[in-house]
Every structure is written in C-alpha cells, then in structure tokens.
Amino acid sequence: MVEAVETMDGWYSLHDMRVMDWTSWKLASSEERTAAIAEFKNLLTKWEDVEEAENGSHVMYQAIGQKADFMFMFLRPTMEELADLETAFNKTKLAEFLIPSYSYVSVIELAKYRPQEDGVDPETLPETQARLKPILPKWNHMSFYPMSRRREGNDNWYTLEKDARGKLLYEHSKTGRQYAGKVKQFISGSIGFDDMEWGVTLFAHDVLQLKKVVYQMRFDEATARYGEFAEFFVGNHLAKEDLAAYLHV
Ligand code: VOV
C-alpha cells in the first residue's frame, strides 16, 4: 500500500476576496463613508495587535481584475478564532459595501518527506514552528491560487510511492530556491476543508517574479504531470494608511 506523508500543520488560514460595490458606496453620505473607514481601520489595528503578540497574521491587498477588489489573507491558531474574525469583519459598516466573491479555507502545512535526522522530530524545531505560524510579509505583490494533485490514469500522485513523491518535491524545491529573496511561498493544506487540495500564496517585491516562478515550475514533473489549477488572484499591497485614499470617491 502506498504510504501517505505525515504533515505538520500550523495556523488556520482564510483567504477572503471581496468586490467593492462602488455604486452603493457613492450613494452613501460622506459621514457614513468616513465612519465606515474609521471603524474598519480600528479593526485593522486590532488585527495588528494580534500580529504583534504573534497570535496570528493578516495581509490586505488590492486585487486586480473583476474577481475581487480586496484580497485578504488571515491566519489564526484555531478555526474558531478564524470564524470569529470573519464574523467581526462581516459586521462592520464597510462590509455592507463589500460583496463576497471568493474564499478559501486551509491550514499552513509542511510535509515530512525528508528522512528524520538523529531521531529529531522536525516539528519540535523552532525554525519549523516559525514556518508553521508565520507572520506574513507585506511585500508589494501577492498571488493566490488553489491547486490539486492529479489522479488520472498513469498520472496519479496518490499511487506514487512516498519516496518518488519526495524526490519530485525535492526537484520542485530546487526550482523554488532560485527565487530566494524574490518570492516567498506559503503552502496551506485544504483537503477536507475546501474544494481543492492546497492553497498557494506567493509574495514578491517585483510582480513579474510571480509569473516567472509559476511558469518555470510548470516544467517540473511535480507540476507538469501532477499539477491541477483553478482560479488565480493577484494584487498590490494596500496599507492601512492608504485605505481612505483608495476608497475616496
Ligand atoms: C518559491 C519557492 C518555493 C519553494 C522553495 C518550495 C519548496 C517546497 C518544498 C520543500 C515542498 C515539500 C515539502 C513541504 O514543505 O511541504 C513543497 C511542497 C509544495 N509546494 Fe512548493 N515551493 C515553492 C513554490 C511553490 C509554488 C509556486 C507552488 C505552486 C505550484 C505551481 O506549479 O505553480 C508550490 C506548490 C507546492 C505544493 C502544492 C506543495 C505540497 C505538495 C504535496 O504534494 O505535498 N510551491 N514546496
């Protein structure tokens, strides 16, 4: 029987995409708009405090294209905290003008493909813990997409032996390492949580590096034979200080 790989799981993740209802926003009074922005900035400050205390992390991006205007990613230690955060967001005045367009639920994941060194469980290492509970970078650009591993005929990831999968992912990681300092990746597992199997979140200073890494990886066997994709989202970092200017009408 083919052996599954053990995963190390960290913070729970919610990608939350919303489209701005500019028509309703323009019809609101300027007092209402000012109050909505102030209230939302307060919520962002609360989330910053959580991040400061290393109890979670979040980012806010302005998405490009019609799939979304706002792209959020939230990380929390439990699914309950993630649900509370989502509810608090939904109860804001600003949320009345935001139409939910997409969401993705997953958990930050690392797999134990590498053989254990000297019986040390990698999950106990501080560097592993830091990767499982990461403070998300606020780099200029972000890309998010869900993906799955193919299960078709001769291209079935789940009938490959663990060693073979480990080798393919090692090759994959060699491509990834060429982007050190340029692209930062977060893989979150979503089997049993959402429609596809993993969420891929990438951050870059230079937006073109997002395209280059994804393109280059298409030629790695792990992707070429076993990668399946759906929708992609891309956005520019939106700082709390720039929110009012973005929403000015
Ligand atoms: C940009 C850099 C980069 C680097 C360094 C990197 C490294 C690594 C390592 C070392 C490992 C394996 C063990 C683990 O840690 O889990 C992975 C794992 C994974 N990856 Fe990756 N990946 C990158 C980047 C990177 C990208 C751009 C993508 C999207 C793929 C594409 O074609 O568009 C991706 C996907 C994944 C997935 C879905 C998994 C889980 C696969 C599984 O079946 O279990 N990944 N990845």
Side-chain angles (χ1 to χ4, degrees):
M1 199 175 75
V2 173
E3 192 190 340
V5 67
E6 208 184 317
T7 60
M8 300 180 277
D9 302 277
W11 278 344
Y12 293 86
S13 166
L14 172 67
H15 289 78
D16 187 323
M17 320 303 188
R18 312 226 176 183
V19 167
M20 185 72 194
D21 179 356
W22 290 109
T23 308
S24 305
W25 184 244
K26 283 183 195 163
L27 287 171
S29 68
S30 75
E31 290 77 21
E32 238 184 311
R33 286 195 297 260
T34 306
I37 292 169
E39 182 198 34
F40 199 72
K41 283 176 82 171
N42 273 336
L43 189 57
L44 284 166
T45 305
K46 275 191 199 156
W47 293 339
E48 284 165 8
D49 293 343
V50 174
E51 192 167 81
E52 196 73 30
E54 297 184 9
N55 281 326
S57 186
H58 70 280
V59 290
M60 178 168 71
Y61 280 73
Q62 182 190 340
I64 324 296
Q66 296 179 351
K67 283 180 270 186
D69 291 308
F70 283 94
M71 170 161 67
F72 294 91
M73 179 179 178
F74 302 109
L75 295 176
R76 286 295 181 269
T78 64
M79 208 64 116
E80 286 77 7
E81 286 158 286
L82 212 47
D84 289 347
L85 177 156
E86 189 185 11
T87 306
F89 182 178
N90 285 336
K91 286 179 181 172
T92 62
K93 186 79 192 160
L94 184 63
E96 291 175 28
F97 301 94
L98 296 174
I99 304 155
S101 62
Y102 184 88
S103 70
Y104 206 77
V105 179
S106 56
V107 58
I108 297 285
E109 177 189 294
L110 293 170
K112 288 186 184 176
Y113 276 111
R114 275 192 305 174
Q116 255 177 242
E117 286 164 28
D118 318 324
V120 179
D121 181 352
E123 199 158 359
T124 60
L125 300 173
E127 55 265 35
T128 307
Q129 286 301 315
R131 288 181 61 200
L132 290 172
K133 299 164 185 179
I135 301 303
L136 298 169
K138 279 62 180 164
W139 290 6
N140 288 346
H141 306 284
M142 170 179 166
S143 164
F144 169 74
Y145 53 97
M147 67 174 287
S148 293
R149 292 289 178 209
R150 188 164 296 137
R151 269 183 282 129
E152 267 171 31
N154 289 328
D155 299 334
N156 189 333
W157 182 256
Y158 296 92
T159 55
L160 284 182
E161 291 297 337
K162 184 178 153 192
D163 285 354
R165 281 175 281 134
K167 198 162 159 281
L168 291 178
L169 286 174
Y170 174 69
E171 293 297 320
H172 158 87
S173 74
K174 278 204 294 195
T175 303
R177 277 203 293 275
Q178 294 173 27
Y179 290 83
K182 294 187 203 147
V183 175
K184 219 171 158 65
Q185 104 280 14
F186 296 87
I187 302 300
S188 45
S190 49
I191 295 182
F193 288 169
D194 219 318
D195 298 345
M196 294 192 69
E197 297 176 342
W198 285 274
V200 179
T201 309
L202 307 173
F203 295 94
H205 304 292
D206 169 7
V207 73
L208 262 186
Q209 296 301 320
L210 297 172
K211 174 173 172 287
K212 286 183 190 293
V213 68
V214 176
Y215 176 64
Q216 200 181 334
M217 281 191 175
R218 290 288 153 101
F219 296 93
D220 290 337
E221 201 175 337
T223 304
R225 285 187 70 181
Y226 302 106
E228 294 203 331
F229 301 89
E231 47 284 279
F232 284 69
F233 295 87
V234 66
N236 302 334
H237 186 244
L238 182 58
K240 183 173 77 173
E241 298 69 40
D242 298 329
L243 182 66
Y246 173 50
L247 292 174
H248 182 75
V249 287

PDB file of all heavy atoms in Angstrom, residues 98-126:
ATOM      1  N   LEU A  98     -19.164  45.590   0.618  1.00  0.00           N
ATOM      2  CA  LEU A  98     -18.250  44.612   0.031  1.00  0.00           C
ATOM      3  C   LEU A  98     -19.023  43.335  -0.297  1.00  0.00           C
ATOM      4  O   LEU A  98     -19.668  42.757   0.571  1.00  0.00           O
ATOM      5  CB  LEU A  98     -17.117  44.278   1.013  1.00  0.00           C
ATOM      6  CG  LEU A  98     -16.168  45.420   1.375  1.00  0.00           C
ATOM      7  CD1 LEU A  98     -15.202  44.985   2.470  1.00  0.00           C
ATOM      8  CD2 LEU A  98     -15.388  45.886   0.144  1.00  0.00           C
ATOM      9  N   ILE A  99     -18.950  42.924  -1.545  1.00  0.00           N
ATOM     10  CA  ILE A  99     -19.659  41.711  -1.960  1.00  0.00           C
ATOM     11  C   ILE A  99     -18.659  40.552  -1.938  1.00  0.00           C
ATOM     12  O   ILE A  99     -17.658  40.593  -2.658  1.00  0.00           O
ATOM     13  CB  ILE A  99     -20.246  41.889  -3.387  1.00  0.00           C
ATOM     14  CG1 ILE A  99     -21.156  43.125  -3.418  1.00  0.00           C
ATOM     15  CG2 ILE A  99     -20.988  40.639  -3.840  1.00  0.00           C
ATOM     16  CD1 ILE A  99     -21.294  43.755  -4.794  1.00  0.00           C
ATOM     17  N   PRO A 100     -18.930  39.553  -1.074  1.00  0.00           N
ATOM     18  CA  PRO A 100     -18.002  38.409  -1.039  1.00  0.00           C
ATOM     19  C   PRO A 100     -17.928  37.745  -2.412  1.00  0.00           C
ATOM     20  O   PRO A 100     -18.972  37.470  -3.016  1.00  0.00           O
ATOM     21  CB  PRO A 100     -18.626  37.460  -0.018  1.00  0.00           C
ATOM     22  CG  PRO A 100     -19.571  38.310   0.775  1.00  0.00           C
ATOM     23  CD  PRO A 100     -20.045  39.389  -0.144  1.00  0.00           C
ATOM     24  N   SER A 101     -16.720  37.543  -2.921  1.00  0.00           N
ATOM     25  CA  SER A 101     -16.618  36.953  -4.261  1.00  0.00           C
ATOM     26  C   SER A 101     -15.886  35.615  -4.266  1.00  0.00           C
ATOM     27  O   SER A 101     -15.995  34.867  -5.235  1.00  0.00           O
ATOM     28  CB  SER A 101     -15.941  37.923  -5.229  1.00  0.00           C
ATOM     29  OG  SER A 101     -14.629  38.216  -4.817  1.00  0.00           O
ATOM     30  N   TYR A 102     -15.152  35.327  -3.181  1.00  0.00           N
ATOM     31  CA  TYR A 102     -14.394  34.067  -3.149  1.00  0.00           C
ATOM     32  C   TYR A 102     -13.799  33.907  -1.768  1.00  0.00           C
ATOM     33  O   TYR A 102     -13.443  34.902  -1.127  1.00  0.00           O
ATOM     34  CB  TYR A 102     -13.260  34.132  -4.186  1.00  0.00           C
ATOM     35  CG  TYR A 102     -12.452  32.851  -4.315  1.00  0.00           C
ATOM     36  CD1 TYR A 102     -12.850  31.832  -5.186  1.00  0.00           C
ATOM     37  CD2 TYR A 102     -11.289  32.658  -3.568  1.00  0.00           C
ATOM     38  CE1 TYR A 102     -12.114  30.661  -5.304  1.00  0.00           C
ATOM     39  CE2 TYR A 102     -10.546  31.491  -3.688  1.00  0.00           C
ATOM     40  CZ  TYR A 102     -10.966  30.497  -4.563  1.00  0.00           C
ATOM     41  OH  TYR A 102     -10.237  29.351  -4.680  1.00  0.00           O
ATOM     42  N   SER A 103     -13.715  32.662  -1.315  1.00  0.00           N
ATOM     43  CA  SER A 103     -12.978  32.422  -0.072  1.00  0.00           C
ATOM     44  C   SER A 103     -12.305  31.066  -0.149  1.00  0.00           C
ATOM     45  O   SER A 103     -12.706  30.205  -0.954  1.00  0.00           O
ATOM     46  CB  SER A 103     -13.910  32.493   1.134  1.00  0.00           C
ATOM     47  OG  SER A 103     -14.787  31.391   1.138  1.00  0.00           O
ATOM     48  N   TYR A 104     -11.288  30.901   0.660  1.00  0.00           N
ATOM     49  CA  TYR A 104     -10.571  29.621   0.674  1.00  0.00           C
ATOM     50  C   TYR A 104     -10.074  29.331   2.079  1.00  0.00           C
ATOM     51  O   TYR A 104      -9.438  30.174   2.713  1.00  0.00           O
ATOM     52  CB  TYR A 104      -9.399  29.638  -0.317  1.00  0.00           C
ATOM     53  CG  TYR A 104      -9.066  28.237  -0.771  1.00  0.00           C
ATOM     54  CD1 TYR A 104      -9.854  27.588  -1.707  1.00  0.00           C
ATOM     55  CD2 TYR A 104      -7.986  27.547  -0.220  1.00  0.00           C
ATOM     56  CE1 TYR A 104      -9.588  26.281  -2.105  1.00  0.00           C
ATOM     57  CE2 TYR A 104      -7.710  26.245  -0.614  1.00  0.00           C
ATOM     58  CZ  TYR A 104      -8.515  25.614  -1.561  1.00  0.00           C
ATOM     59  OH  TYR A 104      -8.260  24.328  -1.944  1.00  0.00           O
ATOM     60  N   VAL A 105     -10.405  28.140   2.583  1.00  0.00           N
ATOM     61  CA  VAL A 105     -10.065  27.755   3.955  1.00  0.00           C
ATOM     62  C   VAL A 105      -9.010  26.645   3.915  1.00  0.00           C
ATOM     63  O   VAL A 105      -9.182  25.649   3.196  1.00  0.00           O
ATOM     64  CB  VAL A 105     -11.327  27.255   4.705  1.00  0.00           C
ATOM     65  CG1 VAL A 105     -10.981  26.841   6.128  1.00  0.00           C
ATOM     66  CG2 VAL A 105     -12.412  28.331   4.699  1.00  0.00           C
ATOM     67  N   SER A 106      -7.949  26.827   4.686  1.00  0.00           N
ATOM     68  CA  SER A 106      -6.865  25.843   4.669  1.00  0.00           C
ATOM     69  C   SER A 106      -6.050  25.975   5.958  1.00  0.00           C
ATOM     70  O   SER A 106      -6.420  26.733   6.852  1.00  0.00           O
ATOM     71  CB  SER A 106      -5.989  26.073   3.434  1.00  0.00           C
ATOM     72  OG  SER A 106      -5.500  27.408   3.415  1.00  0.00           O
ATOM     73  N   VAL A 107      -4.977  25.225   6.043  1.00  0.00           N
ATOM     74  CA  VAL A 107      -4.116  25.312   7.221  1.00  0.00           C
ATOM     75  C   VAL A 107      -2.663  25.246   6.735  1.00  0.00           C
ATOM     76  O   VAL A 107      -2.336  24.442   5.849  1.00  0.00           O
ATOM     77  CB  VAL A 107      -4.454  24.211   8.263  1.00  0.00           C
ATOM     78  CG1 VAL A 107      -4.324  22.805   7.685  1.00  0.00           C
ATOM     79  CG2 VAL A 107      -3.616  24.340   9.528  1.00  0.00           C
ATOM     80  N   ILE A 108      -1.828  26.131   7.258  1.00  0.00           N
ATOM     81  CA  ILE A 108      -0.413  26.171   6.849  1.00  0.00           C
ATOM     82  C   ILE A 108       0.199  24.792   7.066  1.00  0.00           C
ATOM     83  O   ILE A 108       0.064  24.212   8.152  1.00  0.00           O
ATOM     84  CB  ILE A 108       0.374  27.234   7.656  1.00  0.00           C
ATOM     85  CG1 ILE A 108      -0.159  28.643   7.388  1.00  0.00           C
ATOM     86  CG2 ILE A 108       1.876  27.153   7.361  1.00  0.00           C
ATOM     87  CD1 ILE A 108       0.215  29.251   6.053  1.00  0.00           C
ATOM     88  N   GLU A 109       0.843  24.275   6.026  1.00  0.00           N
ATOM     89  CA  GLU A 109       1.289  22.880   6.056  1.00  0.00           C
ATOM     90  C   GLU A 109       2.727  22.706   5.564  1.00  0.00           C
ATOM     91  O   GLU A 109       3.154  23.355   4.614  1.00  0.00           O
ATOM     92  CB  GLU A 109       0.347  22.070   5.157  1.00  0.00           C
ATOM     93  CG  GLU A 109       0.717  20.607   5.020  1.00  0.00           C
ATOM     94  CD  GLU A 109      -0.101  19.881   3.951  1.00  0.00           C
ATOM     95  OE1 GLU A 109      -1.319  19.729   4.121  1.00  0.00           O
ATOM     96  OE2 GLU A 109       0.502  19.475   2.931  1.00  0.00           O
ATOM     97  N   LEU A 110       3.431  21.829   6.242  1.00  0.00           N
ATOM     98  CA  LEU A 110       4.735  21.343   5.778  1.00  0.00           C
ATOM     99  C   LEU A 110       4.676  19.822   5.836  1.00  0.00           C
ATOM    100  O   LEU A 110       4.092  19.270   6.766  1.00  0.00           O
ATOM    101  CB  LEU A 110       5.862  21.844   6.691  1.00  0.00           C
ATOM    102  CG  LEU A 110       6.161  23.346   6.697  1.00  0.00           C
ATOM    103  CD1 LEU A 110       7.128  23.677   7.818  1.00  0.00           C
ATOM    104  CD2 LEU A 110       6.726  23.803   5.362  1.00  0.00           C
ATOM    105  N   ALA A 111       5.272  19.178   4.846  1.00  0.00           N
ATOM    106  CA  ALA A 111       5.224  17.712   4.812  1.00  0.00           C
ATOM    107  C   ALA A 111       6.561  17.139   5.266  1.00  0.00           C
ATOM    108  O   ALA A 111       7.604  17.749   5.076  1.00  0.00           O
ATOM    109  CB  ALA A 111       4.889  17.250   3.401  1.00  0.00           C
ATOM    110  N   LYS A 112       6.474  15.952   5.863  1.00  0.00           N
ATOM    111  CA  LYS A 112       7.697  15.299   6.363  1.00  0.00           C
ATOM    112  C   LYS A 112       8.233  14.317   5.325  1.00  0.00           C
ATOM    113  O   LYS A 112       8.236  13.111   5.557  1.00  0.00           O
ATOM    114  CB  LYS A 112       7.386  14.559   7.670  1.00  0.00           C
ATOM    115  CG  LYS A 112       7.156  15.474   8.872  1.00  0.00           C
ATOM    116  CD  LYS A 112       7.001  14.637  10.129  1.00  0.00           C
ATOM    117  CE  LYS A 112       6.672  15.485  11.341  1.00  0.00           C
ATOM    118  NZ  LYS A 112       6.437  14.685  12.543  1.00  0.00           N
ATOM    119  N   TYR A 113       8.657  14.844   4.191  1.00  0.00           N
ATOM    120  CA  TYR A 113       9.223  13.961   3.176  1.00  0.00           C
ATOM    121  C   TYR A 113      10.681  13.627   3.467  1.00  0.00           C
ATOM    122  O   TYR A 113      11.152  12.561   3.134  1.00  0.00           O
ATOM    123  CB  TYR A 113       9.106  14.589   1.782  1.00  0.00           C
ATOM    124  CG  TYR A 113       7.759  14.334   1.143  1.00  0.00           C
ATOM    125  CD1 TYR A 113       6.847  15.362   0.955  1.00  0.00           C
ATOM    126  CD2 TYR A 113       7.399  13.054   0.722  1.00  0.00           C
ATOM    127  CE1 TYR A 113       5.610  15.133   0.367  1.00  0.00           C
ATOM    128  CE2 TYR A 113       6.164  12.815   0.135  1.00  0.00           C
ATOM    129  CZ  TYR A 113       5.280  13.851  -0.041  1.00  0.00           C
ATOM    130  OH  TYR A 113       4.065  13.616  -0.611  1.00  0.00           O
ATOM    131  N   ARG A 114      11.378  14.573   4.091  1.00  0.00           N
ATOM    132  CA  ARG A 114      12.808  14.335   4.327  1.00  0.00           C
ATOM    133  C   ARG A 114      13.010  13.345   5.466  1.00  0.00           C
ATOM    134  O   ARG A 114      12.286  13.425   6.480  1.00  0.00           O
ATOM    135  CB  ARG A 114      13.517  15.657   4.645  1.00  0.00           C
ATOM    136  CG  ARG A 114      13.935  16.382   3.364  1.00  0.00           C
ATOM    137  CD  ARG A 114      14.868  17.501   3.660  1.00  0.00           C
ATOM    138  NE  ARG A 114      14.322  18.439   4.636  1.00  0.00           N
ATOM    139  CZ  ARG A 114      14.994  19.450   5.157  1.00  0.00           C
ATOM    140  NH1 ARG A 114      16.247  19.645   4.821  1.00  0.00           N
ATOM    141  NH2 ARG A 114      14.427  20.261   6.019  1.00  0.00           N
ATOM    142  N   PRO A 115      13.992  12.427   5.330  1.00  0.00           N
ATOM    143  CA  PRO A 115      14.212  11.476   6.430  1.00  0.00           C
ATOM    144  C   PRO A 115      14.621  12.217   7.699  1.00  0.00           C
ATOM    145  O   PRO A 115      15.318  13.233   7.632  1.00  0.00           O
ATOM    146  CB  PRO A 115      15.359  10.593   5.915  1.00  0.00           C
ATOM    147  CG  PRO A 115      15.908  11.255   4.703  1.00  0.00           C
ATOM    148  CD  PRO A 115      14.920  12.241   4.208  1.00  0.00           C
ATOM    149  N   GLN A 116      14.154  11.716   8.835  1.00  0.00           N
ATOM    150  CA  GLN A 116      14.451  12.366  10.113  1.00  0.00           C
ATOM    151  C   GLN A 116      15.926  12.235  10.464  1.00  0.00           C
ATOM    152  O   GLN A 116      16.491  11.157  10.337  1.00  0.00           O
ATOM    153  CB  GLN A 116      13.624  11.715  11.219  1.00  0.00           C
ATOM    154  CG  GLN A 116      12.459  12.592  11.641  1.00  0.00           C
ATOM    155  CD  GLN A 116      11.589  11.922  12.688  1.00  0.00           C
ATOM    156  OE1 GLN A 116      10.432  11.673  12.453  1.00  0.00           O
ATOM    157  NE2 GLN A 116      12.154  11.661  13.838  1.00  0.00           N
ATOM    158  N   GLU A 117      16.520  13.332  10.881  1.00  0.00           N
ATOM    159  CA  GLU A 117      17.940  13.292  11.266  1.00  0.00           C
ATOM    160  C   GLU A 117      18.060  13.011  12.761  1.00  0.00           C
ATOM    161  O   GLU A 117      17.459  13.717  13.568  1.00  0.00           O
ATOM    162  CB  GLU A 117      18.614  14.628  10.931  1.00  0.00           C
ATOM    163  CG  GLU A 117      18.867  14.801   9.442  1.00  0.00           C
ATOM    164  CD  GLU A 117      19.160  16.248   9.088  1.00  0.00           C
ATOM    165  OE1 GLU A 117      19.670  16.977   9.961  1.00  0.00           O
ATOM    166  OE2 GLU A 117      18.845  16.635   7.943  1.00  0.00           O
ATOM    167  N   ASP A 118      18.811  12.010  13.125  1.00  0.00           N
ATOM    168  CA  ASP A 118      19.111  11.650  14.524  1.00  0.00           C
ATOM    169  C   ASP A 118      17.856  11.552  15.392  1.00  0.00           C
ATOM    170  O   ASP A 118      17.876  11.934  16.562  1.00  0.00           O
ATOM    171  CB  ASP A 118      20.068  12.675  15.185  1.00  0.00           C
ATOM    172  CG  ASP A 118      21.194  13.094  14.258  1.00  0.00           C
ATOM    173  OD1 ASP A 118      21.654  12.236  13.500  1.00  0.00           O
ATOM    174  OD2 ASP A 118      21.578  14.276  14.287  1.00  0.00           O
ATOM    175  N   GLY A 119      16.781  11.085  14.824  1.00  0.00           N
ATOM    176  CA  GLY A 119      15.560  10.905  15.611  1.00  0.00           C
ATOM    177  C   GLY A 119      14.927  12.205  16.099  1.00  0.00           C
ATOM    178  O   GLY A 119      14.049  12.181  16.954  1.00  0.00           O
ATOM    179  N   VAL A 120      15.383  13.347  15.553  1.00  0.00           N
ATOM    180  CA  VAL A 120      14.792  14.629  15.965  1.00  0.00           C
ATOM    181  C   VAL A 120      13.528  14.879  15.144  1.00  0.00           C
ATOM    182  O   VAL A 120      13.577  14.902  13.911  1.00  0.00           O
ATOM    183  CB  VAL A 120      15.780  15.813  15.757  1.00  0.00           C
ATOM    184  CG1 VAL A 120      15.150  17.128  16.167  1.00  0.00           C
ATOM    185  CG2 VAL A 120      17.074  15.577  16.526  1.00  0.00           C
ATOM    186  N   ASP A 121      12.414  15.025  15.821  1.00  0.00           N
ATOM    187  CA  ASP A 121      11.164  15.338  15.129  1.00  0.00           C
ATOM    188  C   ASP A 121      11.239  16.785  14.642  1.00  0.00           C
ATOM    189  O   ASP A 121      11.338  17.706  15.464  1.00  0.00           O
ATOM    190  CB  ASP A 121       9.989  15.151  16.108  1.00  0.00           C
ATOM    191  CG  ASP A 121       8.647  15.432  15.438  1.00  0.00           C
ATOM    192  OD1 ASP A 121       8.639  15.905  14.283  1.00  0.00           O
ATOM    193  OD2 ASP A 121       7.618  15.192  16.081  1.00  0.00           O
ATOM    194  N   PRO A 122      11.195  17.006  13.312  1.00  0.00           N
ATOM    195  CA  PRO A 122      11.352  18.385  12.801  1.00  0.00           C
ATOM    196  C   PRO A 122      10.298  19.349  13.348  1.00  0.00           C
ATOM    197  O   PRO A 122      10.537  20.555  13.434  1.00  0.00           O
ATOM    198  CB  PRO A 122      11.221  18.219  11.287  1.00  0.00           C
ATOM    199  CG  PRO A 122      10.613  16.875  11.065  1.00  0.00           C
ATOM    200  CD  PRO A 122      11.006  16.029  12.235  1.00  0.00           C
ATOM    201  N   GLU A 123       9.160  18.784  13.770  1.00  0.00           N
ATOM    202  CA  GLU A 123       8.071  19.641  14.266  1.00  0.00           C
ATOM    203  C   GLU A 123       8.463  20.370  15.559  1.00  0.00           C
ATOM    204  O   GLU A 123       7.888  21.403  15.900  1.00  0.00           O
ATOM    205  CB  GLU A 123       6.801  18.803  14.475  1.00  0.00           C
ATOM    206  CG  GLU A 123       5.550  19.648  14.540  1.00  0.00           C
ATOM    207  CD  GLU A 123       4.273  18.900  14.213  1.00  0.00           C
ATOM    208  OE1 GLU A 123       4.325  17.686  13.903  1.00  0.00           O
ATOM    209  OE2 GLU A 123       3.211  19.533  14.276  1.00  0.00           O
ATOM    210  N   THR A 124       9.442  19.803  16.287  1.00  0.00           N
ATOM    211  CA  THR A 124       9.844  20.411  17.559  1.00  0.00           C
ATOM    212  C   THR A 124      10.844  21.560  17.345  1.00  0.00           C
ATOM    213  O   THR A 124      11.129  22.309  18.271  1.00  0.00           O
ATOM    214  CB  THR A 124      10.516  19.357  18.475  1.00  0.00           C
ATOM    215  OG1 THR A 124      11.677  18.840  17.789  1.00  0.00           O
ATOM    216  CG2 THR A 124       9.572  18.209  18.802  1.00  0.00           C
ATOM    217  N   LEU A 125      11.378  21.674  16.131  1.00  0.00           N
ATOM    218  CA  LEU A 125      12.402  22.700  15.889  1.00  0.00           C
ATOM    219  C   LEU A 125      11.781  24.096  15.814  1.00  0.00           C
ATOM    220  O   LEU A 125      10.731  24.271  15.182  1.00  0.00           O
ATOM    221  CB  LEU A 125      13.150  22.398  14.577  1.00  0.00           C
ATOM    222  CG  LEU A 125      13.879  21.058  14.505  1.00  0.00           C
ATOM    223  CD1 LEU A 125      14.421  20.813  13.088  1.00  0.00           C
ATOM    224  CD2 LEU A 125      15.021  21.009  15.521  1.00  0.00           C
ATOM    225  N   PRO A 126      12.423  25.080  16.434  1.00  0.00           N
ATOM    226  CA  PRO A 126      11.881  26.438  16.400  1.00  0.00           C
ATOM    227  C   PRO A 126      11.709  26.975  14.983  1.00  0.00           C
ATOM    228  O   PRO A 126      10.735  27.672  14.700  1.00  0.00           O
ATOM    229  CB  PRO A 126      12.924  27.283  17.157  1.00  0.00           C
ATOM    230  CG  PRO A 126      13.892  26.331  17.759  1.00  0.00           C
ATOM    231  CD  PRO A 126      13.661  24.973  17.219  1.00  0.00           C
TER     232      PRO A 126
END
